[in-house]
Amino acid sequence: MRLPLPWPRSLQGRLLATYLTLMTLSIGGLMLWMGVRLQNAVLDQAQHDLELQAFVLANALRDPLEHVREDDKEREGRSLPQLIQVYAQTTEARVSVTDRDLRLVASSDRREKTGAVKAGPEFAAARQGREENSIRWDDVAGEQRLFTAAPIREDDGQAIGYVQLSIPMAPVVASMQSMWWPPLAMGGGVLLLTFLVSLWLARHMAHPLQDLTQVSEAMAAGDLGRQVTPGGPDEIERLGSAFNRMAGRVQEMLARQQEFVAHAAHELRSPLTALRLRLEMIEQHGRTDPDLTARYLAQMQGEVEQLQRLIDHLLALAALDEDALPPPAPTDLAPLLYSLADTVSPLVQQAGLRLTVDVPSHLPPVLVNPDPIRMAVYNLLDNAIKYTPAGGQITLHAGAVGGHLAVSVVDTGGGIPPDALPHIFERFYRVDKARSRRQGGAGLGLSLVQRIAQLYHGEVQVESQVGQGSVFTLSLPLVQPA
Ligand code: ADP
């Protein structure tokens, strides 16, 4: 929905505009209502006072009016005109007295002519015994006035005349107007306070968000080392802290990746350098020394294999990190393990070792993708072959152990020193750098096995005794029968 007014686009502007609009409407409404009530109260009071005075005067003027009617010259005390003069002065109102036919008998204002018939809604009401006020223009005084009238009655209740009181409206209006000042001042004060508080509140909320935006923009532009100062209301403060943690993690991940790439490049460089050196030697002496050529070619083949393995491992790690695999399915690993044993048997024979396969023809299913599992067990077998001296024994076991399928590769090799054990699953970690590299390892194999185990909610464990051998066990949760 589009608003007809230009509505601010910034969060701070919108919060401020919303608060102020709502407060102006509610406080304005309240003040208007208060002002009208106060102003009406002033008018009601003025009318009520005048009615009361008229009533009191009507009582007080009964006798003097009777004397005028009876034309009683001997009457003691003040005459009717004198009396109304006195009343007019004390009440500050004009007092006019009429006979029962509304002909003016006396008035405190000399400009009113005796004998003239008076009219007005207040007289009509007074004749019916009611009291009524009337605000109207008065020709005699040339101003707006408030009128009221009361009957002057005899003892038997008969009206012998009427008294009319009137006061100018100007002072009443002035007093009514002055009633507006307190609500206006109060409303203005509250609005000003609201403005200041909402300004503070809007800033308090908008500032941390602006900070966050600036830092995000700086990060998007490549400046990754930036952090925000968390502040503002709880939710925004938490957002700021979470942002900082996320930025920290991103930096950490990037650093790890850079380190990984540097390691990988370093590992690639050694076999490449060796290849280049041997190629140069063959180029220089190949023609004259066929034995050297044959030796170097055999070594170069080993280096190419080493490169191949390294690249296979790097690609496998990248594929696992991308999570580009199809959904895992319940799988019986027995056929896969038998086929693996076949695959490695030439290597086993070449190394002068024996391989025993202790795997039942069927295994309870586990939820996996076969290819990564094949790679993991292959790596374990490959390590066992590499790190076991000729004449040794390698055994491949598999079976269910308490809700898990355990696949173990047992060797009778040199074992792993206890201080190296906690590190062997780290990327690029090798116990004996020179020996391991000679045997074609870059220290990625076990980290790959661990990553694959984690992928299927399993784990890989090692037990090793120096001089006796090692047991690597990959355990995977069994598929729970539905
Ligand atoms: P690599 O490719 O160098 O073999 P791995 O990550 O597979 O790297 O293994 C890490 C290190 O753990 C190896 O360098 C080796 O020193 C040690 N290791 C792994 N498996 C065995 C084993 N079966 N017997 C003895 N040492 C092993």
Side-chain angles (χ1 to χ4, degrees):
M1 193 183 72
R2 277 202 135 266
L3 289 166
L5 292 173
W7 198 243
R9 289 199 50 79
S10 71
L11 176 67
Q12 187 175 332
R14 280 190 182 180
L15 286 175
L16 203 62
T18 310
Y19 289 149
L20 284 184
T21 312
L22 289 180
M23 285 310 278
T24 310
L25 286 180
S26 50
I27 292 175
L30 192 70
M31 294 304 126
L32 196 75
W33 177 79
M34 238 168 97
V36 171
R37 287 289 298 253
L38 282 172
Q39 158 178 304
N40 288 347
V42 169
L43 183 62
D44 284 351
Q45 188 63 47
Q47 289 173 334
H48 181 74
D49 285 354
L50 205 64
E51 279 169 12
L52 201 71
Q53 284 168 0
F55 178 74
V56 173
L57 258 182
N59 273 337
L61 289 176
R62 190 179 66 186
D63 282 353
L65 182 62
E66 261 177 358
H67 287 301
V68 170
R69 282 196 335 148
E70 287 154 14
D71 210 3
D72 185 356
K73 301 261 166 19
E74 260 102 87
R75 185 183 168 268
E76 288 169 24
R78 295 191 228 187
S79 68
L80 183 66
Q82 282 173 324
L83 260 178
I84 57 179
Q85 247 351 301
V86 172
Y87 283 128
Q89 266 160 24
T90 47
T91 57
E92 291 178 357
R94 180 208 287 160
V95 185
S96 314
V97 178
T98 70
D99 62 15
R100 67 155 68 96
D101 300 322
L102 300 182
R103 271 192 302 270
L104 187 69
V105 176
S107 168
S108 64
D109 189 336
R110 273 182 241 291
R111 290 173 290 186
E112 282 202 303
K113 297 219 168 52
T114 46
V117 177
K118 301 212 60 165
E122 71 275 14
F123 282 114
R127 282 191 130 166
Q128 291 166 12
R130 288 183 293 111
E131 278 179 9
E132 197 177 298
N133 295 285
S134 158
I135 299 168
R136 62 176 184 272
W137 183 259
D138 178 51
D139 285 331
V140 178
E143 62 185 1
Q144 200 80 11
R145 287 181 83 88
L146 171 66
F147 294 90
T148 193
I152 302 173
R153 294 182 198 280
E154 277 185 314
D155 285 339
D156 58 5
Q158 277 281 315
I160 53 165
Y162 299 93
V163 58
Q164 182 201 45
L165 283 191
S166 79
I167 52 168
M169 270 307 282
V172 180
V173 169
S175 158
M176 279 162 77
Q177 280 169 349
S178 73
M179 284 297 121
W180 280 98
W181 287 116
L184 275 182
M186 216 166 92
V190 173
L191 267 184
L192 184 72
L193 201 73
T194 310
F195 174 75
L196 294 176
V197 171
S198 3
L199 188 71
W200 175 82
L201 221 98
R203 287 212 170 152
H204 184 59
M205 275 202 225
H207 261 194
L209 288 177
Q210 282 163 353
D211 188 23
L212 207 65
T213 312
Q214 267 175 11
V215 172
S216 311
E217 279 166 358
M219 285 180 76
D223 183 2
L224 291 177
R226 296 282 296 270
Q227 294 258 306
V228 296
T229 318
D234 272 1
E235 293 86 345
I236 297 183
E237 189 173 6
R238 270 176 53 198
L239 177 67
S241 310
F243 179 90
N244 281 347
R245 280 201 302 279
M246 183 192 73
R249 288 274 309 208
V250 168
Q251 263 192 303
E252 237 173 65
M253 267 168 61
L254 274 178
R256 275 224 311 271
Q257 254 178 18
Q258 272 165 2
E259 192 190 8
F260 181 75
V261 170
H263 257 123
H266 181 77
E267 292 298 331
L268 285 169
R269 206 164 54 191
S270 317
L272 282 176
T273 310
L275 274 175
R276 189 170 52 79
L277 290 175
R278 297 208 162 90
L279 270 175
E280 279 170 13
M281 293 296 274
I282 292 173
E283 202 177 29
Q284 284 167 21
H285 309 286
R287 257 175 290 253
T288 53
D289 191 347
D291 282 355
L292 177 131
T293 309
R295 206 169 65 240
Y296 278 4
L297 278 176
Q299 287 171 350
M300 279 166 70
Q301 192 175 353
E303 267 136 23
V304 170
E305 272 166 19
Q306 185 185 342
L307 271 175
Q308 176 81 53
R309 266 169 53 92
L310 177 58
I311 286 168
D312 284 350
H313 280 173
L314 286 175
L315 286 178
L317 275 174
L320 289 179
D321 279 347
E322 273 173 21
D323 283 346
L325 292 163
T331 311
D332 173 1
L333 290 182
L336 183 147
L337 295 178
Y338 281 111
S339 130
L340 262 176
D342 280 349
T343 309
V344 298
S345 72
L347 296 176
V348 173
Q349 273 173 12
Q350 220 174 21
L353 302 166
R354 270 172 296 126
L355 173 67
T356 310
V357 181
D358 173 24
V359 176
S361 53
H362 286 290
L363 286 169
V366 283
L367 200 62
V368 294
N369 299 104
D371 285 349
I373 297 296
R374 168 177 272 275
M375 172 161 250
V377 182
Y378 179 87
N379 274 329
L380 294 180
L381 286 169
D382 189 45
N383 277 350
I385 296 165
K386 276 191 301 184
Y387 301 112
T388 307
Q393 162 76 43
I394 298 173
T395 313
L396 176 63
H397 284 290
V401 182
H404 279 73
L405 178 73
V407 179
S408 322
V409 175
V410 186
D411 66 52
T412 55
I416 302 161
D419 56 332
L421 270 182
H423 303 289
I424 55 171
F425 295 102
E426 289 168 17
R427 290 179 176 187
F428 299 106
Y429 181 84
R430 286 175 295 221
V431 178
D432 175 353
K433 286 208 175 352
R435 180 165 171 232
S436 164
R437 184 171 286 156
R438 238 184 359 261
Q439 277 162 321
L444 282 178
L446 285 179
S447 74
L448 194 60
V449 177
Q450 194 181 45
R451 179 80 187 84
I452 291 168
Q454 285 166 353
L455 196 66
Y456 300 114
H457 312 290
E459 58 179 6
V460 54
Q461 280 167 329
V462 56
E463 284 164 50
S464 190
Q465 290 264 305
V466 177
Q468 295 199 357
S470 315
V471 182
F472 282 86
T473 306
L474 170 68
S475 55
L476 297 164
L478 292 177
V479 176
Q480 295 301 321

